[in-house]
Amino acid sequence: MSQEAIYPTKSREDRFSAPSQDLSDPQAKRRFWEHHLAQCRQSSLTQKAYCQKHSLKPHQFYYWKKRLRQDHGKVSFLPLRLPG
């Protein structure tokens, strides 16, 4: 029996089947994780099961979940000119 039959591996394309972009680009990496977090919320899977199914590292999943939640709450201010 071959090692592949015992330990099936996924290709790089399978692991990154979400928006396929160069993950060295910060915006592409952000879109990749936004995609997976949204898909996980819509699935009936636990976060751990979703990570296993999509060959994602759970610690990265949780990191990006926290990071994107924090980024979402950021507020920016613009200067305001008052008449007079």
Side-chain angles (χ1 to χ4, degrees), residues 17-36:
S17 61
S20 59
Q21 293 133 7
D22 177 16
L23 293 180
S24 64
D25 171 34
Q27 291 300 321
K29 189 179 289 188
R30 181 184 191 91
R31 286 188 301 270
F32 173 86
W33 285 106
E34 286 172 341
H35 168 82
H36 276 292

Side-chain angles (χ1 to χ4, degrees), residues 5 10 17 20 25 32 43 46 67 69 72 75 80 83:
K10 292 191 175 199
S17 61
S20 59
D25 171 34
F32 173 86
S43 75
T46 64
R67 180 174 175 181
R69 187 178 330 135
H72 184 68
V75 176
L80 177 64

